[in-house]
Amino acid sequence: MSPPALSIGIAGAGLLGRLLAWQLSRRGHQVSVFDSAAGPQPVARSQAGDPYVPTAAGFTAAGMLSPLSELDNAEPAVAHMGFRSLALWPGILAALPGAPELVVRGSLLLAHRADLGTARRMLDRLHVATATPEWRHLQLPAGEQPLSPAELRTLEPAIQGPAHAWLLPGEGHIDTVATMIALHAGASGVDWHWGVPVRALQGGDAGGTLLLADGRALAFDAVVDVRGAGARPELPVRGVRGEVVWLDCPGHGLTRPARLLHPRHFVYMVPRSSRDVVVGASEIESEDRSPVSLRTAVELMAAAHSVLPGLAEARILKLDVNLRPALPDNNPLIEHAGRLLRINGLFRHGWLLAPALVERALAEAPWLDTALASDGRPSRHGAAKAQA
C-alpha cells in the first residue's frame, strides 16, 4: 500500500524549493510553495524596477559544478556531495521539460605569469584536502592536471594569454536559468504563491505551520524552510554577494568553465551557449543588493578579456547581483525538528550540492517512509538513505 499523500508547505522558491516541490509533487504529495518574488521568471538587477524585489540566487549563479576547485574553501565532505550531485543531475534533467543542458568536460584553472604564486597557494590547499584520510576514505578522484601551453591550445583554442593552466577532470556546468524554469514548469501540480513572503515556520510531531508576513498562519502536514538568506533570525545565516555579467559574443569558442586566479579576486567564465558567456566574481562578503559597480564591471570584463581576446567585441546583455546564503562555518545544513525541515547554507555551492542535499534530507525525514530516486520516482527509504 502506498503511503498517504501529505500536504507540504515550502517557504522559498529558489533552487532547493523548486527541486523539492518537483520531486515531492511527483510522489503525489500536495505541495504549496510561498516566495516573496513577483513570479517564477528571473529579473536581472540591471533590468529590475523600483522597488527592487530580488529573484532566486539560483538564477544569478553561473552553474559551475566544481567539487575539486571548491576545495579552495570547502571540506572533503562537500566535494563528496558534489560528486553525488554530478551523478544525480543527468536523471533529473532528463525528466524535466526541455531537458536542460548539462556539460561535463572538466574545468580549467588559469593564471597569468605574474600570478603564479596565487595559483600555487590555491593548489596547495587542494593538495592538503586530497591528502586527508577522509578524502582517501571517500575514494574521490585525484586533483588537477597541469597543462602545457600547447595542451591548453588544443583543449581551448579561444583561450590566449594565461601562462599557466590546470585541468580539473570530472567537473562541469549546468544551464541554471533553463533548469530553474523547467523545475517550475515540470511541477504542474504544485500550488505556487508569488509575492507572499514567509515570516517564520513552526514544526511539531503532528504537523507544521507557515507564518506569513501578512499575518496568516497556514497549517500543513509538514513544512520546509529553504529561504536561504531570508531565514534569519531562525538560523545564523548571512548573505554573500555575487555579481555576474552576461555577454553576447557569437563564436566565442569557450567550451568549459575557466577560473582565472588573481591576487585580489577569482574571476570565472562559463559558456552559457555558443554565443553567451557568463563572467562573475566568486564571492564578496557583503549583503549589499545594489547594482553592480563600475569598478566591479570593469575588473570582471578586463580579466575575462585577458583570457578570451575574442570578447573584445562582445555586447553586454545584463548585469546581475544576488546574495548566496552562508552559515558561520560555510557548510550546508540539514535540520529536522518534528515535521519541520530546514536546508540552508549552500554558500557558493548551490548547484553543486542541491540534488545530494535534497536526496539526503528526504531520506532522513521522519515523516516520509519513502524517499526519491535520482529521477524523482519513489524508492525505499533505506536504499535512498544508503546512497546519500
Side-chain angles (χ1 to χ4, degrees), residues 22 25-26 95-97 181-189:
W22 177 74
S25 66
R26 283 165 64 88
L96 290 177
I181 293 172
L183 284 169
H184 173 263
S188 57

Side-chain angles (χ1 to χ4, degrees), residues 113-307:
R113 192 174 306 279
D115 300 330
L116 180 58
T118 298
R120 287 296 183 195
R121 286 189 289 274
M122 178 185 176
L123 292 172
D124 286 344
R125 292 192 288 272
L126 267 61
H127 296 160
V128 168
T130 56
T132 60
E134 182 181 10
W135 187 272
R136 292 193 295 270
H137 173 71
L138 294 173
Q139 299 181 334
L140 299 177
E144 81 288 349
Q145 299 175 4
L147 298 175
S148 68
E151 290 170 329
L152 177 60
R153 284 194 298 272
T154 299
L155 277 181
E156 295 286 349
I159 293 180
Q160 302 175 32
H164 308 282
W166 299 264
L167 174 68
L168 297 175
E171 298 196 338
H173 61 284
I174 189 172
D175 189 330
T176 57
V177 174
T179 303
M180 290 283 283
I181 293 172
L183 284 169
H184 173 263
S188 57
V190 172
D191 191 7
W192 302 90
H193 300 265
W194 301 104
V196 184
V198 174
R199 177 173 55 84
L201 295 88
Q202 297 174 346
D205 294 334
T209 304
L210 297 184
L211 304 177
L212 306 185
D214 61 13
R216 286 181 292 161
L218 304 180
F220 296 89
D221 293 324
V223 292
V224 184
D225 185 0
V226 283
R227 292 174 294 164
R232 288 180 299 200
E234 290 93 335
L235 291 175
V237 64
R238 73 186 192 279
V240 179
R241 179 177 168 103
E243 302 175 323
V244 298
V245 181
W246 285 69
L247 300 175
D248 177 26
C249 184
H252 56 75
L254 187 66
T255 65
R256 49 177 58 81
R259 185 174 298 185
L260 179 64
L261 307 181
H262 185 275
R264 289 198 307 276
H265 47 248
F266 294 165
V267 176
Y268 56 78
M269 295 139 281
V270 180
R272 178 57 68 239
S273 69
S274 61
R275 62 182 299 154
D276 294 345
V277 178
V278 180
V279 180
S282 294
E283 63 180 274
I284 302 170
E285 284 290 342
S286 169
E287 294 194 342
D288 178 16
R289 288 188 183 272
S290 64
V292 175
S293 68
L294 181 145
R295 175 178 178 177
T296 295
V298 169
E299 287 184 348
L300 286 178
M301 289 184 280
H305 178 245
S306 74
V307 170

Side-chain angles (χ1 to χ4, degrees), residues 342-365:
R342 299 185 193 275
I343 310 177
N344 211 315
L346 272 66
F347 191 34
R348 329 190 314 186
H349 321 302
W351 287 91
L352 178 65
L353 298 184
L357 284 173
V358 166
E359 178 186 59
R360 180 173 297 178
L362 294 181
E364 295 172 349

